[in-house]
Amino acid sequence: MNRQFDYIIAGAGGAGLSLLMRILDEPTLLRKKILLIDRGPKTANDRTWCFWEKGNGYFEETVYRRWDKLRVKHPKGNINLSMNGYSYKMIRSVDFYQHCFERIRNAGSRVQLVYGSVTEIKDDTGEVTVDGFTYQGGIVFSSILLAPPQLKPTQHYLLQHFRGWWIETAQDSFDPDTADLMDFRVPQEHGCTFVYVMPLSPKKALVEYTLFSEKELDSEQYDSGLKNYIQQNLGLDSYSIKEVENGVIPMTNYRFPGKQGKVIFLGTAGGQTKASTGYTFSNMQKHAAALVRGLVLNNPQLLAGSNSSRFLLYDSILLRVLKEAKMPGADVLFSIFKRNRASTVFRFLDNDSEWYEEAGIMIKAPWRVFTSAAIAEIM
Ligand SMILES: Cc1cc2nc3c(=O)[nH]c(=O)nc-3n(C[C@H](O)[C@H](O)[C@H](O)COP(=O)(O)OP(=O)(O)OC[C@H]3O[C@@H](n4cnc5c(N)ncnc54)[C@H](O)[C@@H]3O)c2cc1C
């Protein structure tokens, strides 16, 4: 194999494949030789991506389910979110990988695939070492974190950690039209805890027990959290567990580098995970689209990318509020959804809102905790 490529994409996960699909779409990049590297074939359903979106998105044909009605539940009451054209969508990674690899096969020799472990990426030369072999790229797009982030003492690092069960019941038990984005009616002893309920049919749902905290739980604690919720909140004693999903997503205001020399970082490794929520899928799509525009226009600014410092500050404030827990995280998040239109909150969390919408959210937030967190972040 010739080991020189225009682009090397290190990591064939959500971010690497989102970028590659858009590169393949772009007629002006038709002659570019691309190398895609991952540890092995992507055939497992290793994650479920959920995200809100207006209209049809780039990966619409891989969407497994969508909901136009969402709820947030809390001991103080339930909120039916005003969606204003947003839908909440679910993509199973297995469908996403299948879709992308079919397109890669159709692209022929333009895209070479190497399976192996990346051990080194040199940003000055664009050399990538995979199991002792070296490949060279004009640009390397990497979603691989070869070393953990080195945090400054002032930076926060929480985890969004969860276990989801795909459950099935013999009798009709769910309303497939309405999903629960966050149900806070669960014990909060381990930090901000909530459950997602994504009904797929009257008899099937994905139920995900989720925490925002500094440490993961023991395996049995996720199981008992799920079991108790399903029994006490969903009123189900009998069901079968069809699949299990575990996940840990970093929630940090650490500044991941966007670009270093010939390397452009993607996905979680490129700071595309929203620090205050863990949501990444939508950001990866926006980033991939901007990168392809940068490649077509040969625009270094688009290739360097940068997250708005205004939104980084909001994330830092929210992370501090969650970490310090002067007010329970469940109450903080519930109050944000209760006092604002969901569509405004979605735009805010997507870093798409206008300053006056952000000011509105801030003014209506529990001011004591937010003011002290904001002062601590700014000082
Ligand atoms: C279980 C789970 C559920 C999630 N659900 C959501 C959700 O609902 N909504 C949302 O917005 N976000 C969600 N996320 C967060 C985020 O969207 C995903 O983590 C997303 O997959 C990030 O994309 P990525 O390309 O950065 O990482 P990945 O998809 O993990 O891709 C990285 C790729 O690099 C490969 N790789 C890593 N190291 C090496 C190496 N040394 N050599 C070779 N290959 C390597 C891996 O095999 C992998 O294929 C979830 C995350 C998890 C873990």
Side-chain angles (χ1 to χ4, degrees):
M1 183 200 270
N2 180 346
R3 301 226 170 101
Q4 301 268 336
F5 294 86
D6 295 298
Y7 308 143
I8 294 181
I9 299 180
L17 293 174
S18 296
L19 175 68
L20 178 55
M21 294 305 104
R22 287 173 170 88
I23 293 177
L24 294 181
D25 281 345
E26 184 46 59
T28 57
L29 303 176
L30 202 64
R31 291 181 184 281
K32 301 294 180 190
K33 304 245 359 136
I34 305 161
L35 176 67
L36 179 66
I37 307 168
D38 208 292
R39 287 201 176 102
K42 303 287 292 182
T43 47
N45 189 40
D46 56 7
R47 63 204 59 196
T48 311
W49 284 296
C50 288
F51 55 97
W52 47 80
E53 189 167 53
K54 266 194 174 173
N56 286 343
Y58 183 81
F59 284 106
E60 198 62 29
E61 59 197 285
T62 65
V63 170
Y64 185 67
R65 284 286 183 282
R66 60 189 282 169
W67 296 269
D68 296 329
K69 291 188 211 160
L70 275 187
R71 272 182 311 219
V72 172
K73 293 180 171 175
H74 186 277
K76 289 182 187 153
N78 299 342
I79 313 167
N80 294 312
L81 301 188
S82 49
M83 302 293 280
N84 287 332
Y86 278 95
S87 298
Y88 198 62
K89 302 184 184 180
M90 173 192 277
I91 293 180
R92 283 161 58 93
S93 62
V94 68
D95 300 329
F96 176 89
Y97 300 143
Q98 207 175 8
H99 166 86
C100 295
F101 278 92
E102 196 177 315
R103 290 204 54 201
I104 291 167
R105 277 190 298 278
N106 292 339
S109 60
R110 265 179 88 192
V111 185
Q112 306 273 314
L113 198 51
V114 162
Y115 291 128
S117 207
V118 172
T119 51
E120 190 179 17
I121 302 178
K122 288 190 178 157
D123 53 32
D124 52 344
T125 59
E127 286 173 311
V128 179
T129 307
V130 187
D131 294 338
F133 293 96
T134 301
Y135 304 87
Q136 204 267 329
I139 305 180
V140 179
F141 297 96
S142 173
S143 51
I144 297 176
L145 263 184
L146 287 173
Q150 300 298 312
L151 262 62
K152 292 187 190 148
T154 51
Q155 289 174 324
H156 312 300
Y157 197 96
L158 291 184
L159 302 173
Q160 179 183 152
H161 48 113
F162 50 89
R163 174 164 296 170
W165 284 351
W166 296 78
I167 62 171
E168 198 168 323
T169 56
Q171 72 292 354
D172 287 357
S173 310
F174 308 104
D175 166 12
D177 291 336
T178 310
D180 290 329
L181 182 67
M182 293 174 149
D183 188 344
F184 292 110
R185 299 171 307 154
V186 284
Q188 301 289 317
E189 70 212 80
H190 302 295
C192 177
T193 309
F194 57 93
V195 179
Y196 289 101
V197 183
M198 304 288 143
L200 307 160
S201 76
K203 294 187 171 69
K204 279 189 204 161
L206 169 62
V207 185
E208 209 150 80
Y209 181 75
T210 308
L211 296 97
F212 293 167
S213 70
E214 288 184 60
K215 280 195 300 201
E216 291 174 53
L217 301 182
D218 297 334
S219 182
E220 306 78 56
Q221 291 176 300
Y222 297 104
D223 283 348
S224 65
L226 278 164
K227 226 166 139 180
N228 292 341
Y229 179 83
I230 293 170
Q231 189 178 49
Q232 289 162 20
N233 299 65
L234 301 181
L236 297 173
D237 286 314
S238 165
Y239 53 90
S240 50
I241 302 167
K242 296 293 176 190
E243 274 180 66
V244 179
E245 173 176 287
N246 293 300
V248 182
I249 306 174
M251 297 169 69
T252 177
N253 58 348
Y254 170 77
R255 301 282 180 108
F256 288 89
K259 184 173 184 298
Q260 265 172 2
K262 286 176 182 272
V263 183
I264 293 175
F265 294 94
L266 306 176
T268 298
Q272 298 303 320
T273 294
K274 176 80 176 164
S276 54
T277 63
Y279 280 98
T280 317
F281 192 82
S282 301
N283 284 348
M284 293 190 307
Q285 303 316 317
K286 280 195 245 174
H287 190 216
L291 287 176
V292 171
R293 274 200 308 281
L295 293 173
V296 171
L297 302 172
N298 199 13
N299 179 330
Q301 222 179 338
L302 283 170
L303 292 174
S306 71
N307 289 328
S308 143
S309 50
R310 180 168 114 240
F311 287 102
L312 288 172
L313 175 64
Y314 299 143
D315 280 331
S316 300
I317 295 171
L318 204 46
L319 270 182
R320 182 179 282 273
V321 167
L322 290 170
K323 187 172 151 185
E324 291 182 345
K326 287 184 183 154
M327 180 175 177
D331 295 359
V332 171
L333 297 171
F334 178 70
S335 78
I336 291 175
F337 277 106
K338 191 169 167 60
R339 296 175 189 175
N340 298 281
R341 290 162 79 99
S343 51
T344 310
V345 179
F346 292 160
R347 284 165 50 72
F348 175 65
L349 295 177
D350 282 340
N351 300 1
D352 282 339
S353 48
E354 301 294 339
W355 69 267
Y356 57 86
E357 294 173 308
E358 294 145 30
I361 290 176
M362 290 294 159
I363 289 165
K364 291 181 216 156
W367 67 270
R368 225 185 276 268
V369 277
F370 271 81
T371 308
S372 69
I375 291 170
E377 284 304 322
I378 292 164
M379 299 306 265

